[in-house]
């Protein structure tokens, strides 16, 4: 088979079960050529009972806990929404389960029109209220620009952290104890920490070095605030898809038929800054293609053959017309500055101040918190152990 020959001729060792290869940060292979990330997923599936009657029973028990904790309140859970497949379907499922979710959105002012309309369609049809934190656009752009100037990979990390902080703030405001997140390790994997690191200290240090504006409207999550939300306020984070037999493709088809929801062209492309990161910045400057996380997961679960996944991984990513021009104009970057920064040697997160060593020091605490669903298990696995440093 031609595609199988393509894998054998790749020139790098590739996992015999998924398509992660030897260039993935921290990867190891067993005697059968299976990578450590496949084994990690196997352990998680066993622990959470993913797709089994045990997992479904655990999830149902959690749903009943959420209902009980939310009695007498207008909402009983928070769901972060982006207009993407997973979060949209998560809202639908919550309503099906009889929950009363409050949708929460962090608007970094780079949303695509499709994503904004998807949020409106789904929430309107399901009669779900929306709580939005809109950051000052000049402030958000200054943070993005500072990361671009720094030369690190995590140019959009401020959005992920801000959404987490915004959800915590909304939960505290409305006295809600549960946050539901639409993440599935079977369809997305758990991204290796290599060039995918972020925390509040990292964002703050990059911005102090390369930014020009003060952080005023940006919801920064510091280490102290993280401990407060988790250990003191005890706001629980639940990932229902970790317990379920979840299919992103089936969810996508359902959303399109039920709500007139529209697909935005690729994984993580519902936001224009995220699209720039995945389609242009990481492939162009770091020779990194984050599609391998999803494609490896699909191959691992048998939703795609390894040959099909490898072939798709080796096709150019989807690039929105005029996206580079929009990025440069929006951030006030000249053609010369853009070309210079894209050609400069990459820098890495470990060259700047972060909370990483502190997370490792607090590993026993976070182990307990992850078991209690007070921090995501993926955080514990990624951030609380020493990370391989690429030289």
């Amino acid at each position: 088979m031609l595609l199988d020959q393509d894998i054998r001729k790749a020139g790098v060792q590739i996992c015999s079960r998924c398509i992660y290869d030897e260039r993935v940060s921290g990867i190891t292979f067993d005697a059968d050529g299976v990578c450590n990330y496949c084994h990690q997923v196997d352990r998680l599936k066993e622990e959470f009972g993913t797709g089994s009657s045990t997992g479904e029973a655990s999830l149902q028990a959690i749903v009943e806990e959420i209902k009980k904790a939310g009695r007498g309140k207008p909402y009983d859970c928070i769901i972060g929404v982006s207009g993407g497949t997973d979060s949209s379907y998560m809202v639908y499922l919550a309503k099906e389960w009889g929950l009363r979710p409050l949708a929460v959105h962090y608007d970094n002012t780079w949303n695509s029109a499709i994503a904004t309309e998807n949020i409106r369609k789904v929430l309107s049809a399901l009669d779900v209220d929306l709580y939005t934190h809109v950051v000052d656009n000049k402030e958000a752009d200054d943070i993005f620009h500072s990361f671009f100037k720094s030369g690190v990979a995590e140019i959009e990390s401020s959005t992920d952290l801000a959404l987490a902080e915004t959800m915590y703030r909304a939960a505290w405001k409305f006295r809600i104890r549960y946050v539901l997140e639409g993440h599935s390790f079977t369809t997305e994997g758990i991204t290796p920490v290599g060039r995918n690191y972020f925390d509040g200290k990292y964002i703050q240090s990059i911005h102090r070095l390369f930014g020009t504006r003060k952080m005023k409207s940006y919801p920064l999550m510091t280490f102290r605030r993280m401990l407060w939300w988790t250990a003191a306020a005890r706001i629980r984070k639940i990932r229902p898809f970790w317990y379920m037999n979840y299919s992103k493709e089936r969810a996508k088809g359902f959303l399109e038929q039920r709500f007139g929801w529209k697909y935005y062209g690729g994984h993580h492309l519902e936001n224009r800054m995220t699209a720039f990161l995945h389609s242009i910045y990481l492939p162009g400057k770091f020779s990194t293609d984050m599609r391998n996380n999803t494609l490896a997961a699909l191959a691992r679960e048998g939703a795609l053959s390894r040959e099909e996944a490898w072939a798709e991984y080796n096709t150019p990513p989807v690039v929105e017309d005029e996206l580079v021009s929009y990025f440069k104009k929006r951030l006030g970057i000249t053609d010369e500055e853009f070309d210079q920064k894209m050609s400069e040697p990459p820098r890495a997160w470990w060259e700047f101040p972060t909370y990483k060593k502190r997370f490792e020091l607090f590993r026993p605490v976070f182990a307990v918190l992850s078991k209690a669903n007070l921090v995501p298990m993926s955080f514990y696995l990624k951030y609380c152990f020493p990370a391989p440093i690429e030289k």
Side-chain angles (χ1 to χ4, degrees):
M1 184 176 181
L2 180 60
L3 293 178
D4 183 57
Q5 291 177 4
D6 290 340
I7 290 181
R8 292 201 303 269
K9 294 178 180 179
V12 292
Q13 183 176 1
I14 303 170
C15 175
S16 59
R17 182 173 161 193
C18 71
I19 63 163
Y20 276 176
D21 61 55
E22 63 188 35
R23 295 166 294 186
V24 173
S25 176
I27 197 167
T28 58
F29 301 94
D30 66 13
D32 296 318
V34 178
C35 76
N36 53 310
Y37 294 107
C38 283
H39 290 305
Q40 181 185 72
V41 166
D42 289 341
R43 290 192 296 270
L44 289 173
K45 290 176 75 171
E46 182 177 357
E47 180 176 352
F48 287 86
T50 309
S52 70
S53 57
T54 301
E56 293 289 345
S58 297
L59 179 57
Q60 185 57 44
I62 291 172
V63 169
E64 293 305 316
E65 290 176 9
I66 295 173
K67 291 179 179 178
K68 182 178 180 181
R71 287 174 186 165
K73 302 173 185 177
Y75 314 105
D76 52 23
C77 61
I78 294 286
I79 301 177
V81 294
S82 66
T85 309
D86 301 330
S87 63
S88 299
Y89 195 66
M90 188 74 264
V91 175
Y92 162 74
L93 283 181
K95 292 287 287 189
E96 283 291 293
W97 295 333
L99 298 176
R100 293 171 289 111
L102 172 65
V104 172
H105 179 61
Y106 168 71
D107 187 353
N108 67 7
T109 72
W110 285 69
N111 287 343
S112 69
I114 291 176
T116 300
E117 187 64 8
N118 281 346
I119 292 173
R120 185 197 65 79
K121 287 177 179 178
V122 173
L123 299 188
S124 297
L126 295 173
D127 192 26
V128 172
D129 292 338
L130 176 64
Y131 174 98
T132 301
H133 179 89
V134 183
V135 68
D136 178 86
N137 66 315
K138 294 186 181 299
E139 185 179 333
D141 289 353
D142 189 53
I143 297 172
F144 289 140
H145 197 178
S146 68
F147 269 79
F148 182 71
K149 288 189 287 187
S150 74
V152 298
E154 298 86 356
I155 190 173
E156 218 238 343
S157 58
S158 59
T159 298
D160 292 326
L161 192 70
L163 174 58
E165 174 69 14
T166 299
M167 289 193 294
Y168 279 133
R169 292 184 184 185
W172 181 254
K173 179 177 181 178
F174 294 99
R175 298 184 300 119
I176 300 169
R177 292 181 54 194
Y178 290 87
V179 173
L180 304 187
E181 294 185 316
H183 177 273
S184 167
F185 66 82
T186 59
T187 62
E188 297 180 45
I190 294 179
T191 309
V193 76
R195 294 197 184 277
N196 186 49
Y197 182 90
F198 62 89
D199 65 36
K201 185 70 172 179
Y202 183 40
I203 291 166
Q204 196 174 47
S205 62
I206 293 286
H207 186 250
R208 281 177 174 170
L209 286 169
F210 301 98
T212 59
R213 291 175 173 269
K214 290 184 178 180
M215 281 188 187
K216 293 182 179 179
S217 65
Y218 176 76
L220 180 70
M221 186 191 296
T222 62
F223 185 84
R224 181 175 295 181
R225 289 184 70 84
M226 181 184 182
L227 283 185
W228 163 256
W229 295 130
T230 56
R234 298 186 67 78
I235 297 171
R236 286 173 166 79
K237 283 197 169 183
I238 308 296
R239 292 179 166 179
F241 296 155
W242 284 37
Y243 300 88
M244 300 168 52
N245 182 20
Y246 173 66
S247 165
K248 186 187 290 284
E249 287 303 309
R250 287 199 299 268
K252 189 192 306 177
F254 174 84
L255 293 169
E256 290 172 341
Q257 184 176 21
R258 177 70 177 271
F259 303 109
W261 180 95
K262 291 185 178 181
Y263 188 48
Y264 31 84
H267 188 44
H268 290 311
L269 302 186
E270 64 268 35
N271 181 276
R272 300 187 82 184
M273 178 55 77
T274 315
F276 175 80
L277 169 73
H278 285 269
S279 300
I280 298 167
Y281 186 62
L282 290 178
K285 184 175 176 69
F286 297 88
S287 299
T288 298
D289 190 339
M290 299 291 281
R291 291 179 301 168
N292 71 335
N293 297 327
T294 299
L295 292 169
L298 292 174
R300 188 180 294 125
E301 296 301 312
L304 283 179
S305 69
R306 289 176 66 247
E307 293 78 19
E308 290 169 329
W310 183 255
E312 185 172 341
Y313 178 49
N314 283 279
T315 59
V318 175
V319 179
E320 176 191 337
D321 291 341
E322 305 299 326
L323 183 55
V324 173
S325 297
Y326 180 81
F327 175 84
K328 290 190 285 190
K329 182 178 180 180
R330 176 81 185 255
L331 298 188
I333 296 172
T334 65
D335 293 342
E336 291 74 20
E337 180 188 358
F338 182 84
D339 292 341
Q340 178 184 344
K341 289 299 177 182
M342 290 295 288
S343 62
E344 285 179 354
R347 301 190 69 182
W349 59 265
W350 53 80
E351 300 177 47
F352 299 91
T354 70
Y355 291 133
K356 185 68 173 66
K357 291 298 182 183
R358 197 178 303 184
F359 290 147
E360 294 174 18
L361 181 64
F362 278 71
R363 186 192 310 161
V365 174
F366 288 120
V368 173
L369 293 176
S370 66
K371 289 292 185 181
N373 284 323
L374 291 166
V375 298
M377 179 62 72
S378 57
F379 168 84
Y380 173 69
L381 294 174
K382 283 176 60 173
Y383 286 75
C384 298
F385 295 84
I389 304 300
E390 301 171 6
K391 300 299 185 182

